[in-house]
Amino acid sequence: MSVNKKIIILLGVPGSGKGTQARFLVDDWGMAHVSTGDLLRALEVDPNGDDNDKQKLADMKAGKLVADDLIYKLAFAEIERNLALGKSVVLDGAIRSVEQAQKYNEFFIAQGVNDSVLAIELTLSDDLSFKRLIKRKVCADCADIIPYAVDNETKTKCEKCGGKLITRGDDNPTTAQKRIEEQGNAKLQPIVAYYRAGGHLVSVDGSQPILDVDTQVKKILTD
Ligand code: AP5
């Protein structure tokens, strides 16, 4: 499938479905997925990871934003690598402040892709965000995100690969609440406004069923 943009930025509060939708674009269309959350969690368990960088992960565990310099270091290298392979790149959670949006824009200009950027906002209330986060389970083996269900705590095995289902360290109620304070709708709106002002923003109702969101996102990317 030929996507009409080189850079797709998924914006949304924690739990709005950025990772879920990014996976559809990767699995169905072969796009590259750059999730700063995944890059930070990989750094956490990397025995060769830089100790100074690892110290900055304390903020993630507390539900706060991680230092900008670490985000740029991890994300820009991955984006550049995938653009060099000729891929379109879906950014998942990679931009969490207007300052970051501006810095990424400079990077996109340097990469020659600034005319091919679209931000897709997955809208969701802070209340629904909290409900989804504290029920989320992911597979420890294939990293699949198990679809939200009220009885998720009873599920132990991944239906796709048989791997063990785990709860992310930051999906406990205390940290989830902190994440919503630090990264919820009040913090998201200035970023959304930045992309809207540049004419690069489309919003999709993230509270719809997962496959309906997928259909709308894909329509936007092929129109
Ligand atoms: P990150 O891992 O990116 O976490 P997040 O932004 O909080 O986003 P989530 O992964 O929690 O949610 P999501 O939107 O991907 O939703 P998902 O698809 O999983 O970041 C972790 C931390 O790293 C941050 O807190 C911060 O500390 C740090 N960090 C990362 N990037 C940074 C940056 N740029 N700057 C500074 N710090 C940064 O879905 C959630 C649940 O909902 C799942 O159970 C799913 O099945 C369900 N669901 C999804 N869509 C639907 C739907 N339509 N209907 C019903 N259920 C749905």
Side-chain angles (χ1 to χ4, degrees), residues 57-184:
L57 299 177
D59 284 333
M60 178 171 73
K61 290 176 195 146
K64 299 181 198 163
L65 290 182
V66 169
D68 288 348
D69 61 337
L70 179 56
I71 297 299
Y72 304 146
K73 176 179 170 182
L74 296 175
F76 291 178
E78 270 300 284
I79 297 168
E80 195 168 353
R81 188 176 68 76
N82 282 293
L83 287 174
L85 295 171
K87 293 192 172 199
S88 287
V89 180
V90 54
L91 297 182
D92 161 7
I95 297 173
R96 314 245 178 173
S97 66
V98 172
E99 292 73 23
Q100 287 188 3
Q102 289 164 338
K103 189 76 177 177
Y104 273 82
N105 192 45
E106 290 169 19
F107 170 73
F108 295 148
I109 291 170
Q111 294 290 317
V113 293
N114 54 307
D115 288 337
S116 193
V117 173
L118 182 70
I120 301 180
E121 176 198 20
L122 303 177
T123 62
L124 194 75
S125 70
D126 290 348
D127 280 355
L128 259 179
S129 160
F130 182 76
K131 284 185 183 140
R132 285 187 187 176
L133 292 179
I134 59 169
K135 294 282 183 188
R136 175 169 50 191
K137 284 210 168 172
V138 294
C139 176
D141 290 346
C142 73
D144 196 40
I145 305 166
I146 308 311
Y148 169 82
V150 283
D151 64 346
N152 266 6
E153 59 263 37
T154 63
K155 297 177 185 166
T156 54
K157 217 172 177 186
C158 175
E159 285 181 12
K160 280 196 183 158
C161 77
K164 187 179 170 198
L165 295 183
I166 56 167
T167 299
R168 254 170 59 175
D170 57 352
D171 278 346
N172 63 79
T174 307
T175 313
Q177 191 57 50
K178 184 73 184 166
R179 284 159 67 201
I180 292 166
E181 280 166 30
E182 301 264 340
Q183 307 169 49

